[in-house]
């Protein structure tokens, strides 16, 4: 690929580090609009042919991936400044960071445009260009170590009464990381309590950090606050090391992605698994056995950061998104029928909660989640099953908005019903 030369090269150290890689992607964007659509060979209903929530909701090309490449290139080359357009921050932050554009772009260009958008957010923060709606979230993170506008003293309440190791006081081979959403959203407490119980009953040497657990930092990373991410990554790595852990199990997709893909850059050497990967392993090893039928027709929602955002290609070692383990679990449960939605796996439609959207743009979040509920309804499923507490939150709220009968459940709850 070739690029034209900018009028002047950057002097800022940040841009000098990333400039040419980012500019190559932004400049080589063909403006083909592929980033907005599911592979046309895969889709069978035009109602569900789109993959980009923001371009679907805001209906201006600026809010598509290719529009953001235009904006990024103009900023990189100095053709515009922050003062030239008051909508710059809105355009770049009205994005779920779901990676739908990445999956589509790899199909035709083999480029990673989402990386450009994430680095631009980091540059905005570095330059003091801060989205006002996110500042209370970040300030609470700095003060209370969570993304939920809650007090850190309440972090361990979800585990009250559970007979599980306190990994801050005794060694544990496996650390279960509940995550901010599950710790402070009371409707999510049953999910993580069930998860820990399943692990314990399967004979896993599992512990939790309890009230001393802190944010994984992943959502701060997506929002552009890189120093906050590094702080929490280092803190968690140290805590797990002190506990003698070998494996970290995450309950949400955001935490999984950050711990799996970003933490190694901060020095992590732990095995990182999402709960569905661990459950799938335990079921196939015969350590979890099903004794009851669950007569239910369900569809599965792929969390973005568990699925396509985890598609990483290392030379000689393809690391694919976590698509099959949750489906294998569902198919293994007696009585359950799995029916797929139109958009699945690398083309799955986002729940709407990622990238800070659930905090900054609740109307956009609700639109995106509502579209997913409508798609699930088309399958005739009684329930939409997923594997991320943020997805459960977004989809549950959307189902309530629609007054829809479809249930939204985490996969660990489905497993518990069959035991």
């Amino acid at each position: 690929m070739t690029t034209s030369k900018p009028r002047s090269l950057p002097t800022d150290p940040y841009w000098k580090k990333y400039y040419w890689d980012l500019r190559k992607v932004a400049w080589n964007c063909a403006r083909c609009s592929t980033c907005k659509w599911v592979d046309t060979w895969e889709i069978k209903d035009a109602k569900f042919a789109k993959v980009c929530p923001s371009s679907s909701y805001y209906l201006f090309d600026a809010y598509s991936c290719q529009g953001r490449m235009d904006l990024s290139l103009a900023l990189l080359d100095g053709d515009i400044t922050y003062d030239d357009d008051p909508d710059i921050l809105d355009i770049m932050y009205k994005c779920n960071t779901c990676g739908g554009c990445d999956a589509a772009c790899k199909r035709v260009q083999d480029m990673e445009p989402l990386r450009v958008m994430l680095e631009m957010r980091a540059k905005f923060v570095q330059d003091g260009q801060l989205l006002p709606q996110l500042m209370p979230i970040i300030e609470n993170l700095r003060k209370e170590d969570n993304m939920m506008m809650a007090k850190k003293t309440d972090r361990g309440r979800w585990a009250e009464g559970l007979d599980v190791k306190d990994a801050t006081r005794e060694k544990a081979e496996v650390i279960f990381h509940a995550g901010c959403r599950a710790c402070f959203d009371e409707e999510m407490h049953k999910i993580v309590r069930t998860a820990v119980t399943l692990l314990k009953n399967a004979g896993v040497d599992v512990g939790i950090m309890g009230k001393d657990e802190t944010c994984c930092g992943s959502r701060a990373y997506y929002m552009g606050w890189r120093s906050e991410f590094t702080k929490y990554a280092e803190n968690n790595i140290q805590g797990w090391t002190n506990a003698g852990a070998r494996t970290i199990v995450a309950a949400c997709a955001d935490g999984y992605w950050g711990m799996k893909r970003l933490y190694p850059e901060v020095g992590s050497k732990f095995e990182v698994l999402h709960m569905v990967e661990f459950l799938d392993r335990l079921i196939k090893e015969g350590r979890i056995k099903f004794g009851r039928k669950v007569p239910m027709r369900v569809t599965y929602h792929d969390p973005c950061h568990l699925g396509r955002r985890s598609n990483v290609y290392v030379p000689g070692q393809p690391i694919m998104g976590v698509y099959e383990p949750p489906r294998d679990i569902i198919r293994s449960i007696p009585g359950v029928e799995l029916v797929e939605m139109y958009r699945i796996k690398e083309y799955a439609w986002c729940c709407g909660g990622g990238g800070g959207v659930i905090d900054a743009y609740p109307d956009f979040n609700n639109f995106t989640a509502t579209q997913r509920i409508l798609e699930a309804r088309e399958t005739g499923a009684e329930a939409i099953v997923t594997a991320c507490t943020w997805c459960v939150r977004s989809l549950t709220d959307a189902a309530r908005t629609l007054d829809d009968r479809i249930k939204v459940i985490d996969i660990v709850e489905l497993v518990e019903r069959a035991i």
Side-chain angles (χ1 to χ4, degrees):
M1 291 187 288
T2 59
T3 62
S4 64
K5 290 185 177 181
R7 292 178 305 187
S8 62
L9 291 172
T11 57
D12 183 286
Y14 183 92
W15 285 133
K16 289 173 98 173
K17 181 178 180 181
Y18 294 110
Y19 177 77
W20 285 110
D21 283 348
L22 302 182
R23 189 176 185 280
K24 181 171 74 171
V25 174
W27 192 89
N28 279 282
C29 172
R31 280 68 183 173
C32 64
S33 287
T34 301
C35 55
K36 304 170 188 174
W37 305 95
V38 172
D39 189 330
T40 53
W41 291 104
E42 298 287 336
I43 203 68
K44 296 177 178 62
D45 190 324
K47 294 198 300 290
F48 306 113
K50 294 180 178 179
V51 76
C52 174
S54 52
S55 67
S56 301
Y57 184 60
Y58 293 105
L59 300 176
F60 281 95
D61 203 47
Y63 294 94
S64 70
C65 172
Q66 66 186 42
R68 293 182 177 114
M69 291 303 99
D70 286 334
L71 176 61
S72 299
L73 186 62
L75 286 167
L76 283 164
D77 286 354
D79 291 332
I80 63 172
T81 68
Y82 297 125
D83 295 330
D84 291 328
D85 189 342
D87 294 327
I88 285 176
L89 287 182
D90 253 10
I91 291 169
M92 205 62 78
Y93 276 96
K94 284 177 175 174
C95 167
N96 314 90
T97 66
C98 74
C101 57
D102 254 29
C105 193
K106 285 184 176 74
R107 196 170 73 234
V108 294
Q109 288 274 72
D110 196 25
M111 297 197 303
E112 297 186 72
L114 183 57
R115 178 171 173 248
V116 176
M117 291 183 268
L118 292 176
E119 294 298 344
M120 293 299 294
R121 288 184 175 192
K123 184 63 167 67
F124 292 165
V125 171
Q126 179 182 291
D127 290 347
Q129 302 296 316
L130 310 177
L131 191 70
Q133 300 97 303
L134 293 181
M135 288 315 300
I137 308 296
I138 297 301
E139 288 166 3
N140 190 78
L141 174 65
R142 290 167 173 165
K143 182 181 178 182
E144 303 289 350
D145 298 333
N146 70 81
M147 303 291 286
M148 291 289 294
M149 300 296 290
K151 297 288 186 182
K152 68 171 73 176
T153 51
D154 292 333
R155 182 143 202 145
R157 285 181 56 206
W158 70 271
E160 288 179 356
L162 271 183
D163 181 20
V164 61
K165 281 186 177 181
D166 179 348
T168 65
R169 298 182 179 181
E170 52 187 323
K171 302 293 184 182
E173 184 176 340
V174 175
I175 300 293
F176 178 81
H177 186 92
C180 295
R181 169 59 66 180
C183 286
F184 296 104
D185 184 334
E186 291 191 6
E187 284 192 79
M188 304 298 122
H189 286 184
K190 61 181 180 179
I191 295 172
V192 283
R193 289 177 68 89
T194 298
V196 170
T197 301
L198 289 172
L199 296 180
K200 272 199 63 190
N201 291 345
V204 176
D205 179 24
V206 61
I208 62 172
M209 305 302 285
K211 62 181 177 57
D212 292 319
E213 180 184 291
T214 62
C215 181
C216 67
S218 300
R219 295 180 73 84
Y221 181 94
Y222 307 145
M223 295 175 188
W225 273 268
R226 298 294 175 81
S227 60
E228 279 71 18
F229 163 75
T230 302
K231 167 190 170 182
Y232 287 104
E234 291 175 344
N235 179 77
N236 284 318
I237 290 168
Q238 186 60 57
W240 301 335
T241 301
N242 293 343
R246 294 175 55 191
T247 301
I248 312 304
V249 176
C252 82
D254 285 4
Y256 167 80
W257 186 83
M259 295 170 190
K260 183 89 168 182
R261 304 298 177 216
L262 302 178
Y263 274 35
E265 298 175 14
V266 190
S268 175
K269 299 186 186 305
F270 300 95
E271 177 188 35
V272 176
L273 298 173
H274 188 276
M275 186 62 186
V276 294
E277 294 178 291
F278 209 159
L279 280 179
D280 186 48
R281 178 188 294 181
L282 294 172
I283 291 168
K284 288 174 178 174
E285 289 176 353
R287 296 169 67 182
I288 290 180
K289 296 180 181 179
F290 299 123
R292 290 185 290 182
K293 282 190 175 182
V294 183
M296 182 180 289
R297 191 180 204 203
V298 306
T299 191
Y300 177 71
H301 166 75
D302 289 280
C304 300
H305 287 86
L306 184 60
R308 60 173 162 250
R309 291 291 286 125
S310 291
N311 280 353
V312 177
Y313 299 93
V314 178
Q317 183 190 2
I319 303 174
M320 302 304 294
V322 183
Y323 299 128
E324 295 310 320
R327 288 173 169 81
D328 286 348
I329 292 170
I330 293 170
R331 292 189 186 104
S332 71
I333 297 175
V336 173
E337 177 190 1
L338 173 64
V339 289
E340 297 280 16
M341 287 182 273
Y342 292 99
R343 293 171 290 193
I344 62 172
K345 299 183 178 179
E346 66 264 40
Y347 298 121
W349 182 259
C350 179
C351 79
V357 165
I358 195 172
D359 306 297
Y361 306 105
D363 56 334
F364 176 32
N365 168 225
N366 187 256
F367 161 81
T368 309
T370 296
Q371 294 302 303
R372 195 57 161 165
I373 294 295
L374 294 175
E375 185 176 358
R377 183 193 288 173
E378 293 271 331
T379 68
E382 301 169 57
I384 180 169
V385 178
T386 190
C388 175
T389 48
W390 291 90
C391 292
V392 172
R393 178 76 279 150
S394 289
L395 295 171
T396 297
D397 290 346
R400 288 171 179 167
T401 298
L402 290 169
D403 195 22
D404 202 290
R405 292 183 178 180
I406 197 165
K407 302 179 183 68
V408 180
I409 58 177
D410 191 279
I411 198 166
V412 299
E413 298 174 281
L414 193 63
V415 169
E416 182 198 31
R417 295 182 189 186
I419 294 176

